[in-house]
Amino acid sequence: MANIKIAFVGAGSVRYTLTLISDLCKVKGLNDSSVSLMDIDEERLNAVYNLAKKINDVLGANLRIEKTTDLRFAVEGASFVINTALARAEGHEDGYVQYEIMREVGEKHGYYRGIDSQEFNMVSDYYTFTNYNQLKLSLDIAKVIEKYAPSAYMMQTANPVFEITQLVLRQTNTKIIGFCHGYGGVFDLIETLNLDPKKVDWQVAGVNHGIWLNRFLYNGENAYPLIDKWIEENSSKWEPKNPWDAQLSPASIDMYRFYGMMPIGDTCRNGSWKYHYDLETKKKWYGKFGCIDNEIERPKFYEALRVYKRRLIELSKDDKVNLLDVFPELKRESLSGEQQIPFINAIVNGEKQRLVLNILNNGIISDIPKDVVVEVPVIVDDNGIHLEEIKPDLTDRVKKFYLTPRIMRMEFAIEAFVTGDRRVLEEVLIRDPRTRSYERVKEVIDEILNLPFNKEMKEHYSH
Amino acid sequence: MANIKIAFVGAGSVRYTLTLISDLCKVKGLNDSSVSLMDIDEERLNAVYNLAKKINDVLGANLRIEKTTDLRFAVEGASFVINTALARAEGHEDGYVQYEIMREVGEKHGYYRGIDSQEFNMVSDYYTFTNYNQLKLSLDIAKVIEKYAPSAYMMQTANPVFEITQLVLRQTNTKIIGFCHGYGGVFDLIETLNLDPKKVDWQVAGVNHGIWLNRFLYNGENAYPLIDKWIEENSSKWEPKNPWDAQLSPASIDMYRFYGMMPIGDTCRNGSWKYHYDLETKKKWYGKFGCIDNEIERPKFYEALRVYKRRLIELSKDDKVNLLDVFPELKRESLSGEQQIPFINAIVNGEKQRLVLNILNNGIISDIPKDVVVEVPVIVDDNGIHLEEIKPDLTDRVKKFYLTPRIMRMEFAIEAFVTGDRRVLEEVLIRDPRTRSYERVKEVIDEILNLPFNKEMKEHYSH
């Protein structure tokens, strides 16, 4: 029996919380844990609370589930705090609304996809420079954890995972670890190549949304030639199955050819402007949808999320619904593929797991600053996190021409946030390939700071 | 008596060679050295040879001067090789002609000041990406030195000093050191502030054309407040005395305010695009001339250099001329301020000197890769080069937001040159704030590669 408490902060991100609750119910050694669901949105909190309890019943688990709008109450006594909280402005349906408004302001001033879309960070909801609200919220949560649950793991799940994990590590003593499922692209690759996953020896390394397949062996032999063969024989026929399907896209292959290793998961969405100038360019490099980070697919995705969330809220009030019909995955024994519950199970019950986590570099990847958060595979068990040697090393091109500028932008975001010096934000845009003049830089930043939901941000950057 | 041989490679850069010859004549412990003047341009070689001999006579020195068009002959037996060689295309008056042609091609495609003008490298004759000819020439010279004078110091004086020094260190065993007089900006600053140079304790660190005043004490006390006071009282009245005068320009002060340390010498010419969008912008930040790196002042400067060189060539044929009239500095006892001869004097005669040189970092500047060439103060004597501790350290902003991207561009230039992979050149432009499309990138590179004097470069980048 696990006598532990797991807090879900921002539990009102209904779908994601329920996925993790399902995982939790399916793990024998954890399915009697105490779960505290916390959100400031009572409607959503009630919905997720009701659905979580139903899932618990359907799966015959024994979770002790509580709900609260009080952060301190949620984290006190918790060993694990899963943070999915996304800052949301008053009156907005979700945090994405402000992202889309800021994107529009950016586009008005000539910044296609908004000023946060940057070389090596083109993912549409990974705002780092204008995202004062989200960084502040995450840091505040970390400080509450530091004070009231100092030995808890803060499992950072909401984006931007890289910047938030880094910021919290620099500003608090909270034990934060960044979680992302992007490394799963390895399995897409393995499936595409028709390989037996059990015979593949793989390793990835980099930073969040910027990881590279440094090791890829099949039956102990270099399997990169299998990728080359696939490219030669199949890449011209490749079509994306959906807007997210990009692991074998022309962009991904182009990046592989330039950097010398295969980009994994979201990494190929995070190339340079070459693949992103406009929708036409995106379609050339990512197929007919132009990937998910564009003006057609991204709003559709947000709308679908909202429709689904509204439906879940309705469902939560309907006592007659059969959850197994709504969530067919509940019938499966296997977990969702998310890493949070396996991590907890490893720490609590010693069920050894290989996971890909965002932790302090400290020399894991050579030539990358030690104080930077990297995403690397680790073994987790009840003795904690055990590092793997990164072998072979990442290529020089990955390190010098991809990770270095990406890390520089992380440092810019942290420096801006920590100092409140708006010249740092300006400097980011001065170096931006979409900038035409310094006047334009000042204008776009002014307009973003003057948005009603950025009042606190404006105050912060006015000193 | 100094029984040493000093080779001047590219001695036909008449004026510069004569300055160093004058210095050599003035140093007692060196003025009987053997000097080998080497150039492939016989007219200029003869001119510099004749004038050097006259200077030697006028100053009563005892140099044994020879001239040669054979590089191996020049460097064999030399302890020091001063390399001022600038690649020049057949039919061009000097190496600047091809720079200006390539700049024009760049501007035709929307790249103001050409594609080599880049963030933190706006100096007009510091070509790094299109400069295959110069990098190749310099590396070839280094290889001849490696073979025929393996213990000689290669004193790299021609630009781009940073990239050439780095390239030669990575590709040969030649003992190369990069020389630049840019650190002299410290003395301009000291003069402007009306300080007694003897009471100033200063230190600079960074990379060539990117050095920062990390230590500035007056009578042992922090002298930065004196800079702040000068800015407050005088900066609004500041006017440049000439196009080169930029140490106290608004750009320099703006960089100081952002990066937290004063940029020294050429560094303030090497800011981001904020100061360089167009001539109007340049005038705003550098005063009425818009500094020396623009479409008005730079061609004027090249033309003046050419006129002066032609005049020197004429003079060299005129036996009646009194050199003391032409070079009034010959009458002064003091040296020119160039560091090459003091360096040789320190090594040969143990005359201890504090110099600012470009050498391998190897931990001198923390958080900067060890294998990168940095520009730092050192003490030189007959035991060699002795490092100074960099104290206080450079600011985080200087390191993370200035040196890191500048070093990345150096690495791009080296990677392109070493691999012959034109995608590396493309990638530089994809990340360039002036780029509008990938098509444009390919076009401008194609046109540059198709220039007649870039035939070898085109071949190199065609694999």
Side-chain angles (χ1 to χ4, degrees), chain B residues 188-196 218:
Chain B
D188 298 341
L189 184 64
I190 289 170
E191 199 186 320
T192 303
L193 299 179
N194 257 315
L195 305 181
D196 176 356
Y218 195 55

Side-chain angles (χ1 to χ4, degrees), chain B residues 172 252 405 409:
Chain B
T172 74
S252 195
R409 284 179 177 78

Side-chain angles (χ1 to χ4, degrees), chain A residues 259 397 401 415 421 431, chain B residues 259 397 401 415 421 431:
Chain A
Y259 292 101
R397 285 196 184 177
F401 305 142
E415 177 76 2
D421 181 352
R431 304 174 185 200
Chain B
Y259 292 101
R397 286 198 185 175
F401 304 143
E415 177 76 1
D421 180 351
R431 302 174 187 201

Side-chain angles (χ1 to χ4, degrees), chain B residues 100 183 199 245 259 276:
Chain B
E100 292 297 300
Y183 77 99
K199 296 177 180 165
D245 179 20
Y259 292 101
H276 294 281

Side-chain angles (χ1 to χ4, degrees), chain A residues 378-443:
Chain A
V378 292
I379 302 291
V380 186
D381 63 20
D382 47 356
N383 286 316
I385 295 171
H386 309 282
L387 306 179
E388 282 187 13
E389 185 190 358
I390 300 302
K391 197 175 171 184
D393 200 1
L394 292 170
T395 64
D396 258 18
R397 285 196 184 177
V398 164
K399 290 193 222 175
K400 290 180 177 170
F401 305 142
Y402 187 98
L403 294 180
T404 296
R406 176 63 185 93
I407 290 167
M408 186 175 71
R409 284 181 177 77
M410 175 280 288
E411 294 287 4
F412 262 120
I414 304 290
E415 177 76 2
F417 179 83
V418 168
T419 63
D421 181 352
R422 71 169 263 161
R423 294 173 307 172
V424 181
L425 300 178
E426 289 177 6
E427 195 61 35
V428 172
L429 290 189
I430 288 164
R431 304 174 185 200
D432 186 300
R434 296 162 299 176
T435 292
R436 304 287 173 268
S437 75
Y438 179 48
E439 293 311 308
R440 191 41 77 87
V441 167
K442 287 187 285 191
E443 281 163 25

Side-chain angles (χ1 to χ4, degrees), chain A residues 18 50-51 53-60 308 311-312 314-331:
Chain A
L18 295 179
N50 290 338
L51 290 168
K53 285 207 300 184
K54 284 182 193 173
I55 290 174
N56 179 66
D57 293 345
V58 166
L59 293 180
Y308 190 60
R311 199 177 139 231
L312 287 180
E314 287 311 305
L315 274 177
S316 72
K317 298 170 186 165
D318 179 354
D319 283 337
K320 279 165 285 180
V321 72
N322 183 350
L323 276 194
L324 292 172
D325 295 339
V326 186
F327 304 124
E329 67 270 29
L330 291 178
K331 297 176 208 159

Side-chain angles (χ1 to χ4, degrees), chain A residues 40-192:
Chain A
I40 54 166
D41 182 319
E42 295 205 51
E43 185 189 27
R44 289 208 212 157
L45 182 62
N46 288 332
V48 79
Y49 174 72
N50 290 338
L51 290 168
K53 285 207 300 184
K54 284 182 193 173
I55 290 174
N56 179 66
D57 293 345
V58 166
L59 293 180
N62 227 338
L63 296 178
R64 287 157 289 146
I65 305 176
E66 66 179 18
K67 60 176 176 172
T68 176
T69 56
D70 186 282
L71 178 59
R72 175 177 165 184
F73 181 82
V75 306
E76 254 178 341
S79 301
F80 303 92
V81 180
I82 297 173
N83 184 27
T84 56
L86 195 59
R88 178 175 60 140
E90 225 179 295
H92 290 182
E93 179 162 0
D94 54 35
Y96 303 133
V97 178
Q98 59 179 301
Y99 288 175
E100 291 298 298
I101 292 172
M102 292 198 283
R103 186 179 337 269
E104 259 175 54
V105 171
E107 297 201 326
K108 196 179 108 187
H109 289 271
Y111 294 87
Y112 177 56
R113 303 300 296 150
I115 70 172
D116 289 273
S117 286
Q118 290 276 331
E119 261 164 38
F120 317 130
N121 183 25
M122 299 287 177
V123 167
S124 302
D125 58 351
Y126 211 96
Y127 276 39
T128 64
F129 298 117
T130 64
N131 216 352
Y132 173 84
N133 294 337
Q134 174 70 355
L135 296 184
K136 180 67 165 49
L137 171 67
S138 310
L139 184 58
D140 285 349
I141 292 168
K143 285 178 178 169
V144 170
I145 297 170
E146 183 180 36
K147 191 159 180 189
Y148 297 107
S151 61
Y153 285 99
M154 178 172 176
M155 302 166 72
Q156 182 60 36
T157 301
N159 279 333
V161 163
F162 185 16
E163 279 75 7
I164 291 173
T165 308
Q166 188 74 61
L167 176 68
V168 168
L169 274 174
R170 291 213 182 139
Q171 300 272 308
T172 74
N173 290 312
T174 300
K175 286 198 296 184
I176 190 171
I177 294 172
F179 282 76
C180 183
H181 49 217
Y183 77 99
V186 170
F187 303 113
D188 298 340
L189 183 64
I190 288 170
E191 198 186 320
T192 302

Side-chain angles (χ1 to χ4, degrees), chain A residues 119-120 170 254 257-259 272-275 277 284-285 367 369 371 396-397 400-402 404-405 408-409 411-413 415 419 421 423-424 426-427 429-439 441-442, chain B residues 119-120 170 254 257-259 272-275 277 284-285 367 369 371 396-397 400-402 404-405 408-409 411-413 415 419 421 423-424 426-427 429-439 441-442:
Chain A
E119 261 164 38
F120 317 130
R170 291 213 182 139
D254 196 58
R257 287 187 169 138
F258 183 74
Y259 292 101
S272 67
W273 282 104
K274 180 177 181 182
Y275 317 120
Y277 288 116
K284 185 187 154 199
W285 289 104
D367 310 319
D371 68 338
D396 258 18
R397 285 196 184 177
K400 290 180 177 170
F401 305 142
Y402 187 98
T404 296
M408 186 175 71
R409 284 181 177 77
E411 294 287 4
F412 262 120
E415 177 76 2
T419 63
D421 181 352
R423 294 173 307 172
V424 181
E426 289 177 6
E427 195 61 35
L429 290 189
I430 288 164
R431 304 174 185 200
D432 186 300
R434 296 162 299 176
T435 292
R436 304 287 173 268
S437 75
Y438 179 48
E439 293 311 308
V441 167
K442 287 187 285 191
Chain B
E119 261 163 37
F120 318 129
R170 292 212 182 140
D254 196 58
R257 287 187 170 140
F258 183 73
Y259 292 101
S272 67
W273 282 104
K274 181 177 180 182
Y275 318 118
Y277 288 117
K284 186 188 153 198
W285 290 104
D367 310 318
D371 67 337
D396 258 19
R397 286 198 185 175
K400 289 180 177 170
F401 304 143
Y402 187 98
T404 296
M408 185 175 73
R409 284 179 177 78
E411 294 287 5
F412 262 120
E415 177 76 1
T419 63
D421 180 351
R423 293 173 307 171
V424 180
E426 290 177 4
E427 195 60 34
L429 290 189
I430 288 165
R431 302 174 187 201
D432 187 299
R434 296 162 300 176
T435 291
R436 304 287 173 268
S437 74
Y438 179 47
E439 293 312 309
V441 167
K442 287 187 285 191

